[in-house]
Amino acid sequence: SLGAAAAAALLAADEREAGRRLTELTRAGLLTHVRGSRYRLHDLVRGFALARLLDEEDPAERAAAHERLLTSYAELANAVIRMVDGKMSTRAGQFGAHGFGSLDSALRWLDDESSFITSALRHSEGVDQSTVLNLLGALCDYCLLRGDLYRLGEISELTQSVDQGLMERSVQWRTGIAARQLGELDKARTTLSSVVGLYREAHNDAGAALALCSLGITLHHQGNLREAAARLGEALDLQASPEQAEDRAWTLHALAAVERDRGNLARALTLLDTALALHREGESLHGEAWTRFQLGQVRLRTGEVAAAEESLSTALELYGRTRDSRGEAWAITQLARARLLDGDPGPALEQLRDALARHRDNEDARGEAWTLYYLGQALEEDGDAVEAVRELERARTMFSRMRDVYGLACARHHSGRVTRDQRAAQTGNLRNSGFARQLLMDARADFRRIGVAHGEAWACLELALIDAGNGRAAQALTLCGEAAELFASYGDERGRDWARFLRCTLLPYASPGGSEVGTVVAQQELAELAAGHHPARDSRLERCAEALAVVLQRGVDLEDGWQAWRLGLIPTRHSREVLGVPVEGTPGEPSPSGV
């Protein structure tokens, strides 16, 4: 179909004149009115018109009309994407609103025109290359926004056939992002690493920084957190100028996500505060959506469920306004996680199944894997351990296939924990935990390799429970000590409390001085633990500490074995979900009217 704006560009006239001509052609039966200002040619009429065009029109005039068409499309398409992504360096100061009444009408126009634009690009010989590059960039970003990765592949093939310079780099960068969205992380990393090199060779710092940001996000998705932080830091160094403020905002919220997974929540909140302000200055609804999304995840890590849901709901609304179905699916996944953290598995299960279907529709393998991971936890919370293990194993397989080490470690950890608990419920003890122990050992090794101290620390505590339940109290005591050191390395008082508490449950069975000496030392350490109250403490630990004090007061019989498991004096999955780290300085929350 053809719009009035395209007709005006071809005629070198204004839209009023173009509309008059289109109406005349419609009355003559040569065009069909589709709706609004859109018209369609019958295939026979199109073929006849093309033949007459080639026979009767001057080639120079045809080329000039085609260039006007592509220029018009470039200005309008970039204006639409600028309304979504804000004043990024690729569009800052170049493209205004161009008369679009709303974001919805702008996106609807691009929906209508996208296939026509792609067709017009196939005949761009002789057209000013900067015009073609602007149009390609907008169309590629539209394809990523709408999840139209097939058309993005078509555009990539088109640019490879006609150009080897800046145009191909621009499209190749978006192709790397698309590969990441499909879960092809190795391919994305290779592609984006190549693009960074090409931009550097061309001395294009803005392009190199954007590619470095995309590479850093990909490394984060692979669980390579140290290198991800390094690449994102390089991007920030290149984006220091005021002209690149909006580019810098995207890098800041990407780095915040890495710092969150490393357990540096205060740093993550500071980065998100800055990113949110820059996105607003840059008028980026899409950037604000992703920043709100990341902020919601940090709030889940601090245990602030209401604040997390507020941020995630705002993100969901913004994704809806920008028609980002992929973002909507992720927001629903995290909102379900909030319900789960709040001890409400029923609604969480419903939301997770909705999100799972959306991720599959979007062909977002990583979104599907993480949703399966949380679905396993929700099923466990709902009392269905068998299905919980099944979904966690599906997530583990997907993370392994896409080589996401962090996701794999998390899935191994919870699969091992639920498998252990399932077997223990069947047998009444922890002695049949070999497979679960192997999963937890693998998870610990993964967490250590990628530098996630909180993951490794909790894996140590879960392993300590298995060793304690199998009569290996000394080994369990060592694991508790290692966990305490790991928790202390990043300031997690909540986790360290549990390591110290489990040590108290083990001392009567592992003390070199015997049970009586171990009991006395355990009572002393338990009293010190109870006295050292702090805001991050798990309320469950306080109840467990009171119960253990009574048990130790009555005396411990070694023949009965380690009793903490049977008595329920152990941390739960909820204990692990919240990080008890100091959080200084939080982003200022706007009023709802300011969103």
Side-chain angles (χ1 to χ4, degrees), residues 186-216:
D186 280 343
K187 179 180 178 181
R189 179 177 180 174
T190 301
T191 301
L192 292 168
S193 296
S194 173
V195 173
V196 170
L198 291 171
Y199 275 120
R200 281 176 166 160
E201 287 174 13
H203 304 290
N204 185 329
D205 286 347
L210 288 169
L212 277 167
C213 178
S214 298
L215 177 59

Side-chain angles (χ1 to χ4, degrees), residues 131-142:
T131 297
V132 178
L133 180 63
N134 282 332
L135 182 51
L136 277 170
L139 190 57
C140 288
D141 287 341
Y142 165 81

